[in-house]
């Protein structure tokens, strides 16, 4: 399992530990990832996603998983999140046509 947010694509960054004597050693900055269960109001299901805490705050601010996935660009989403987005769009098209 990669250390990458499924909704925003936020991943591992690299940098340096800098001591008082200005010695530099390589280090990694890991994203704050949590396994969260988010529910879709449109589909009536909940989905397990591994997302960062900042992405969770954004989802709450926008108004839920459905609205967040409608606004976000598909290039930052994981395969699992893309499938959820396509299922939501398909369901909305079916409801709009009937």
């Amino acid at each position: 399992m990669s250390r990458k947010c499924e909704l925003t694509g936020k991943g591992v960054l690299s940098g340096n530990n800098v001591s008082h004597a200005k010695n530099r050693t390589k280090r990694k900055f890991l994203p704050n990832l949590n396994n969260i269960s988010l529910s879709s109001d449109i589909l009536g299901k909940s989905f397990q996603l591994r997302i960062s805490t900042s992405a969770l705050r954004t989802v709450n601010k926008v108004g839920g998983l459905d609205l967040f996935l409608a606004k976000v660009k598909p290039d930052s989403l994981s395969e699992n999140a893309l499938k959820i987005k396509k299922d939501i769009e398909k369901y909305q098209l079916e409801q709009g046509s009937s």
Side-chain angles (χ1 to χ4, degrees):
M1 184 178 286
S2 65
R3 292 182 174 140
K4 194 171 221 182
C5 176
E6 291 190 55
L7 295 181
T8 60
K10 182 182 283 195
V12 178
L13 296 173
S14 64
N16 291 310
N17 277 333
V18 182
S19 70
H20 185 69
K22 299 268 187 343
N23 296 329
R24 289 171 168 83
T25 56
K26 283 294 200 184
R27 64 161 291 180
K28 289 189 224 176
F29 293 96
L30 301 176
N32 188 6
L33 297 178
N34 295 305
N35 291 321
I36 300 287
S37 179
L38 293 174
S39 61
S40 168
D41 297 330
I42 293 173
L43 297 176
K45 296 181 186 176
S46 60
F47 300 97
Q48 280 286 112
L49 296 170
R50 191 166 192 222
I51 63 172
S52 63
T53 53
S54 62
L56 180 61
R57 290 181 59 178
T58 306
V59 168
N60 288 336
K61 179 180 177 181
V62 170
L65 181 64
D66 302 329
L67 294 173
F68 178 83
L69 289 175
K71 290 183 179 183
V72 74
K73 294 179 181 174
D75 55 340
S76 66
L77 296 174
S78 68
E79 292 177 15
N80 189 17
L82 268 175
K83 184 181 179 308
I84 297 168
K85 180 177 177 145
K86 288 179 182 176
D87 289 346
I88 290 171
E89 290 172 350
K90 185 190 298 183
Y91 185 81
Q92 286 176 332
L93 285 174
E94 289 173 1
Q95 293 300 317
S97 63
S98 57

